[in-house]
C-alpha cells in the first residue's frame, strides 16, 4: 500500500467556498466541485450527518492527498458515497439483507459494508486493502446533486483533521482544512450531527460495526432479527471507518458520567442537569435542555468544539441516555475520552 504524503508535503491552496443554499446555487456549485474532484482535487461537501471530505474513490493519488490533508492513518478504510442504490450495487455485492436495508434507509445515514465488486472504481487505498467496500447514499440535496454530477464514487470521511471534532458547518471545515483542500460546498448546518450507522453485510449475519444516525432497533425491525455485534478489527487494522479507540477527540480531557464539576473543567450537560460545581465551570453547554436526544446528537460536535475553545483543562460530561441515538452519542464521547495511543495516530 503506498504511503500517504505528510502534511508538510501538501502545497498550500486557496480554498473556495461554494454557496449551495438554493437549487440554482447547488447546481452551479456541483459543477465546479465535480470538476475539482474528477481532476484529482479535494472538496468538502455536506451530508445530513456531518460534512465529508470528498475525493475520487478510484484515484489513489487523490485518496493519498485526502489522508494527508486530514493527517489520517492510511490503514483506516473510507466510506464511498454515491447518488443512488443502483450505483452502489455496481460497486458491491449485495445479499438479501443488504438489499433490504438499502431499500429501507437510503438515502440516509446508513453505511453498508459489502464485498467489493469494482476494485478500480474504489481503489485499494480507499478500502485500506480490504476485500470489502463501505457504501452510502446520503440524504442531502446538495450531496446528491454533487455525487450525481461527479458520476463516480466519492470517498468522504469527516472533513476535519484526523482525531479532531467532526464538522457540522462549513465554518468548522475551514477552521481545520482551509488552505489544505480545494473547496467546500456550503449548504449550512447538518441536521443529524453524528456519523452514519455502519452495518457489515459481508457475512452470513449482519453485524453492527458503528452506531450512528439510524438506531439499532430500526435496523433490526427491517431485518426481522437482531444485529450481531462485531469487533470491527483491531487498533492497527480497523474493519470500518471510525473504529479507532481514540477518535473524535478535543484537546481537553473528556470525563464521562460526571457527577460533579472539578476545578478548571467545562461542563457538557443534558436535560437541564446541574451537578455540584456547575456554578464554577469555565463554561456550561446543554446539549438539549428539554432532554431531546435528536437535538443532542445534532449539536454534539459543535458543543465539544465550543467547550474546547475555552482552554478548559477538561470537559465533564453528565450521564446521558444510551437508547436510540443515545448509543451513537455514547460511542462518540467514549472515543473522545479514550487514552491517546502513542503508537497509533488518532
Amino acid at each position: 500500500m503506498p504511503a500517504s504524503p505528510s502534511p508538510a508535503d501538501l502545497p498550500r491552496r486557496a480554498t473556495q467556498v461554494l454557496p449551495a443554499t438554493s437549487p440554482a446555487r447547488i447546481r452551479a456549485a456541483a459543477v465546479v466541485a465535480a470538476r475539482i474532484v474528477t481532476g484529482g482535487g479535494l472538496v468538502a461537501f455536506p451530508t445530513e450527518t456531518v460534512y465529508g471530505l470528498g475525493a475520487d474513490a478510484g484515484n489513489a493519488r487523490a485518496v493519498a492527498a485526502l489522508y494527508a490533508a486530514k493527517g489520517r492513518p492510511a490503514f483506516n478504510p473510507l466510506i464511498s458515497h454515491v447518488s443512488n442504490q443502483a450505483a452502489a450495487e455496481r460497486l458491491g455485492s449485495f445479499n438479501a439483507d443488504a438489499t433490504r436495508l438499502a431499500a429501507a434507509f437510503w438515502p440516509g445515514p446508513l453505511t453498508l459494508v459489502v464485498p467489493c465488486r469494482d476494485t478500480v472504481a474504489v481503489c485499494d487505498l480507499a478500502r485500506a486493502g480490504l476485500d470489502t467496500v463501505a457504501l452510502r447514499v446520503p440524504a442531502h440535496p446538495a450531496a446528491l446533486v454533487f455525487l450525481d454530477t461527479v458520476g463516480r464514487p466519492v470517498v468522504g470521511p469527516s472533513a476535519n483533521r484526523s482525531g479532531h471534532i467532526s464538522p457540522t458547518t462549513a465554518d468548522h471545515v475551514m477552521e481545520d482544512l482551509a488552505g489544505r483542500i480545494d473547496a467546500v460546498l456550503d449548504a449550512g448546518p447538518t441536521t443529524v450531527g453524528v456519523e452514519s450507522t455502519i452495518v457489515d453485510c459481508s457475512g452470513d449475519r449482519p453485524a453492527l460495526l458503528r452506531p450512528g444516525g439510524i438506531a439499532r432497533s430500526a435496523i433490526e425491525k427491517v431485518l426481522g432479527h437482531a444485529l450481531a455485534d462485531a469487533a470491527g478489527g483491531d487498533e492497527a487494522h480497523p474493519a470500518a471507518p471510525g473504529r479507532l479507540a481514540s477518535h473524535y477527540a478535543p484537546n481537553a480531557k473528556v470525563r464521562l458520567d460526571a457527577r460533579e464539576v472539578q476545578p478548571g473543567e467545562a461542563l457538557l450537560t443534558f436535560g437541564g442537569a446541574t451537578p455540584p460545581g456547575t456554578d464554577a465551570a469555565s463554561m456550561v453547554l446543554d446539549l438539549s435542555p428539554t432532554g431531546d436526544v435528536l437535538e443532542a446528537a445534532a449539536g454534539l460536535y459543535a458543543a465539544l468544539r465550543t467547550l474546547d475553545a475555552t482552554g478548559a483543562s477538561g470537559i465533564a460530561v453528565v450521564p446521558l441516555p444510551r437508547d436510540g441515538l443515545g448509543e451513537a452519542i455514547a460511542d462518540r464521547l467514549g472515543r473522545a475520552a479514550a487514552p491517546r495511543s502513542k503508537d497509533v495516530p488518532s
Side-chain angles (χ1 to χ4, degrees):
M1 185 181 299
S4 301
S6 71
D9 295 330
L10 292 176
R12 296 288 295 181
R13 61 190 90 180
T15 301
Q16 302 179 66
V17 177
L18 306 173
T21 51
S22 69
R25 284 187 164 189
I26 288 172
R27 287 192 296 271
V31 170
V32 175
R35 188 180 303 123
I36 292 170
V37 168
T38 55
L42 304 177
V43 174
F45 63 99
T47 75
E48 75 280 24
T49 57
V50 299
Y51 273 72
L53 180 56
D56 180 353
N59 183 334
R61 187 179 183 88
V63 175
L66 180 151
Y67 281 130
K70 283 179 61 68
R72 183 184 181 122
F75 48 73
N76 206 355
L78 303 174
I79 296 172
S80 291
H81 297 72
V82 291
S83 61
N84 56 69
Q85 184 174 342
E89 290 177 344
R90 289 193 290 271
L91 299 172
S93 297
F94 280 57
N95 59 23
D97 285 329
T99 300
R100 191 177 300 117
L101 291 175
F105 296 113
W106 280 354
L110 176 69
T111 294
L112 297 176
V113 176
V114 296
C116 187
R117 297 180 63 181
D118 190 337
T119 57
V120 174
V122 183
C123 69
D124 183 74
L125 187 60
R127 293 179 288 106
L130 300 174
D131 59 6
T132 54
V133 61
L135 298 169
R136 183 160 97 87
V137 179
H140 192 291
L144 291 174
V145 172
F146 164 61
L147 293 168
D148 190 57
T149 305
V150 173
R152 61 185 74 172
V154 173
V155 292
S158 57
N160 55 276
R161 301 280 186 97
S162 184
H164 289 198
I165 302 165
S166 296
T168 53
T169 69
D171 285 344
H172 293 163
V173 176
M174 294 296 285
E175 286 172 13
D176 258 13
L177 298 178
R180 301 169 70 86
I181 65 175
D182 297 290
V184 54
L185 282 165
D186 184 359
T190 63
T191 54
V192 176
V194 293
E195 286 85 351
S196 61
T197 303
I198 301 180
V199 176
D200 184 357
C201 291
S202 63
D204 295 332
R205 181 184 173 193
L208 183 67
L209 290 180
R210 181 180 75 183
I214 295 177
R216 177 198 297 260
S217 58
I219 295 169
E220 291 176 340
K221 183 176 180 180
V222 169
L223 291 173
H225 58 79
L227 284 165
D229 286 311
D234 57 30
E235 186 81 353
H237 301 90
R243 297 299 296 181
L244 292 178
S246 177
H247 204 35
Y248 317 108
N251 293 315
K253 184 177 181 181
V254 176
R255 188 167 61 88
L256 303 180
D257 297 323
R259 306 288 178 175
E260 78 291 324
V261 182
Q262 297 176 356
E265 287 185 324
L267 174 64
L268 185 62
T269 190
F270 177 80
T274 54
T278 296
D279 289 344
S282 60
M283 177 179 272
V284 179
L285 284 180
D286 196 325
L287 284 173
S288 174
T290 62
D292 184 339
V293 177
L294 290 175
E295 182 183 14
L300 175 63
Y301 289 129
L304 286 173
R305 282 179 178 272
T306 299
L307 294 177
D308 199 33
T310 67
S313 60
I315 299 173
V317 183
V318 302
L320 295 167
R322 291 177 176 264
D323 56 324
L325 276 183
E327 184 179 15
I329 295 170
D331 176 79
R332 301 308 182 273
L333 287 170
R335 295 177 190 278
R340 314 294 168 82
S341 170
K342 296 180 180 179
D343 300 319
V344 181
S346 62

